[in-house]
């Protein structure tokens, strides 16, 4: 019988706190050379990039992965109004200033990808090149707020709709320990649309996996769970609660394009790729029209591909960033 290959646990890089945009931000940091920012998504932390931090640093990059606003060791303002894309991009501009860097290479995943797209939209002068994972740049609807649109399309049981009411998801999450919450959210076992039946909370609807995939260990999950035990889930959930406010604020950029050179990587089994018409959007002409300098790479994998396919994703990042002349 073939033995399952055990995933090597990466040691943590150095961590420290810096002040940016009115908050204290915790960052993991390693290496020297051109700066690379690694931006995590929901519900993860800077340590989800440990493999990329180590490998990119070995290849001559100064790698910085922050705990994003609301996560881990970074400040977590309680008000959803403090989590607009202007706040989140502002945190990164302040971080670049604090690090004394005019430009950075940027990699984003999930919500980190959303923030990275808007960093490129608002301040393309600060980004040398971009690699985004899982979440494509999407056009702003000229007429409908996103939560209203999602509720109409998928119903009130859709996870994004359930996350809107302050305290609701936190109360539901609190029925489980943080380790179980992370297992449910990171190792999804639900229909594609992530919509719970009427009267059922999404966290109750999601299965708790009986075993872990080879790309993550119980120890890694426990370490992340201990951080969420301290910081809670309100900050991460506030990203979703600011979506309609983002829609209002982004009106001046209606129809704008991303001009930064970009590689987009997505797993062919990612729920977000298979649902919502995203496969057709990514493979069709509309995505390319909005991001003209775009390369799309579809690999065999699910949503958390920076961990599931760490070596392959890191090779893609290195091949892309190495094609640019040194800063």
């Amino acid at each position: 019988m073939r033995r399952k290959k055990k995933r090597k646990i990466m040691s943590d890089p150095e961590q420290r706190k810096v002040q940016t945009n009115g908050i204290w931000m915790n960052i993991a940091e390693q290496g020297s050379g051109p700066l690379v920012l690694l931006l995590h998504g929901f519900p993860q932390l800077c340590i989800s990039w440990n493999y990329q931090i180590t490998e990119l640093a070995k290849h001559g990059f100064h790698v910085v992965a922050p705990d994003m606003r609301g996560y881990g060791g970074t400040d977590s303002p309680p008000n959803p109004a403090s989590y607009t894309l202007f706040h989140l991009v502002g945190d990164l501009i302040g971080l670049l200033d604090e690090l004394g860097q005019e430009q950075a290479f940027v990699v984003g995943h999930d919500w980190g990808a959303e923030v990275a797209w808007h960093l490129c939209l608002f301040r393309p002068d600060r980004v040398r090149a971009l690699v985004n994972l899982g979440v494509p740049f999407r056009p702003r609807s000229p007429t409908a707020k996103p939560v209203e649109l999602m509720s109409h399309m998928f119903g009130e049981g859709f996870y994004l709709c359930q996350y809107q009411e302050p305290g609701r998801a936190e109360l539901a999450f609190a029925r489980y320990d943080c380790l179980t919450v992370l297992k449910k959210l990171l190792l999804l076992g639900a229909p594609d649309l992530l919509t719970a039946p009427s009267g059922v909370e999404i966290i109750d609807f999601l299965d708790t996996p009986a075993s872990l995939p080879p790309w993550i260990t119980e120890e890694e999950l426990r370490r992340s769970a201990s951080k969420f035990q301290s910081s809670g889930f309100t900050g991460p959930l506030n990203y979703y609660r600011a979506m309609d406010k983002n829609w209002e604020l982004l009106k001046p950029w209606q129809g704008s394009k991303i001009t930064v050179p970009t590689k987009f990587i997505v797993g062919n089994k990612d729920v977000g790729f298979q649902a919502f018409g995203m496969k057709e959007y990514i493979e069709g002409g509309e995505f390319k029209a909005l991001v003209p300098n775009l390369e799309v790479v579809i690999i065999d994998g699910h949503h958390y591909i920076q961990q599931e396919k760490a070596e392959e994703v890191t090779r893609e990042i290195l091949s892309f960033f190495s094609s640019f002349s040194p800063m």
Side-chain angles (χ1 to χ4, degrees):
M1 184 167 54
R2 233 177 130 185
R3 298 180 65 187
K4 187 165 77 171
K5 185 179 176 183
K6 188 175 180 181
R7 183 179 181 274
K8 184 181 178 182
I9 299 173
M10 305 303 298
S11 59
D12 282 350
E14 292 293 324
Q15 296 192 31
R16 64 185 176 100
K17 290 194 176 185
V18 299
Q19 200 162 18
T20 171
N21 199 26
I23 64 170
W24 283 98
M25 174 174 272
N26 183 64
I27 63 172
E29 186 173 27
Q30 193 171 325
S32 60
L35 178 64
V36 178
L37 294 183
L38 304 175
L39 312 178
H40 70 79
F42 177 89
Q44 296 196 294
L45 299 164
C46 65
I47 56 176
S48 66
W49 296 107
N50 274 2
Y51 183 87
Q52 285 78 23
I53 294 171
T54 301
E55 289 302 308
L56 291 172
K58 283 180 185 176
H59 284 82
F61 289 97
H62 174 199
V63 190
V64 172
D67 282 337
M68 300 291 280
R69 176 182 289 243
Y71 285 86
T74 294
D75 288 349
S76 182
N79 192 332
S82 295
Y83 290 82
T84 72
L85 287 163
F86 286 165
H87 290 85
L88 301 170
V89 170
D91 294 345
L92 300 179
I93 295 297
L95 177 58
L96 287 176
D97 292 344
E98 178 65 24
L99 296 170
Q101 297 293 322
E102 283 299 314
Q103 282 194 320
F105 293 103
V106 177
V107 182
H109 172 256
D110 188 79
W111 261 108
E114 190 75 4
V115 177
W117 287 124
H118 288 85
L119 171 62
C120 293
L121 187 66
F122 301 155
R123 293 299 305 272
D125 58 306
R126 305 301 297 267
V127 184
R128 184 77 176 91
L130 171 68
V131 174
N132 259 349
L133 312 177
V135 175
F137 182 67
R138 290 153 293 180
R140 174 189 180 274
S141 167
T143 56
K145 293 184 177 182
V147 177
E148 176 186 305
L149 189 62
M150 295 291 182
S151 176
H152 176 73
M153 292 173 65
F154 307 119
E156 293 297 326
F158 188 53
Y159 78 100
L160 188 149
C161 299
Q162 287 198 3
Y163 288 169
Q164 294 304 308
E165 181 185 340
R168 175 182 173 177
E170 290 93 326
L171 190 63
F173 286 14
R175 290 197 284 270
Y176 304 90
D177 60 83
C178 283
L179 178 62
T180 300
V181 171
L182 290 185
K183 285 181 177 180
K184 282 173 169 278
L185 293 173
L186 291 169
L187 311 171
L188 293 173
D192 285 351
L193 293 182
L194 298 181
T195 301
S198 177
V200 178
E201 296 297 316
I202 195 72
I203 197 68
D204 298 329
F205 183 56
L206 297 174
D207 295 330
T208 304
S211 60
L212 299 181
W215 56 265
I216 198 161
T217 67
E218 189 84 14
E219 179 187 339
E220 288 171 302
L221 283 169
R222 286 187 183 280
R223 289 164 63 210
S224 292
S226 70
K227 300 289 186 183
F228 281 101
Q229 182 67 42
S230 299
S231 63
F233 289 96
T234 295
L237 290 165
N238 278 342
Y239 284 58
Y240 296 93
R241 292 165 185 162
M243 289 177 72
D244 279 352
K245 175 57 70 175
N246 286 330
W247 180 85
E248 295 175 15
L249 295 171
L250 288 170
K251 173 61 177 175
W253 286 270
Q254 184 80 42
S256 295
K257 298 181 179 183
I258 302 293
T259 58
V260 172
T262 301
K263 176 181 280 191
F264 178 73
I265 307 172
V266 65
N268 61 353
K269 300 182 183 74
D270 190 327
V271 169
F273 180 65
Q274 293 293 339
F276 319 119
M278 281 299 168
K279 183 176 187 294
E280 293 75 19
Y281 172 74
I282 290 166
E283 295 180 334
E286 190 179 2
F287 186 25
K288 177 74 172 177
L290 287 169
V291 190
N293 198 349
L294 174 70
E295 176 187 351
V296 173
V297 178
I298 300 171
I299 67 175
D300 181 28
H302 298 78
H303 185 61
Y304 297 97
I305 51 173
Q306 82 274 28
Q307 291 173 284
E308 181 188 3
K309 294 299 175 74
E311 293 180 9
E312 186 174 354
V313 167
T314 304
R315 283 197 303 270
E316 292 287 353
I317 294 169
L318 280 168
S319 69
F320 190 58
F321 289 166
S322 297
S323 68
F324 293 86
S325 58
M327 290 186 289

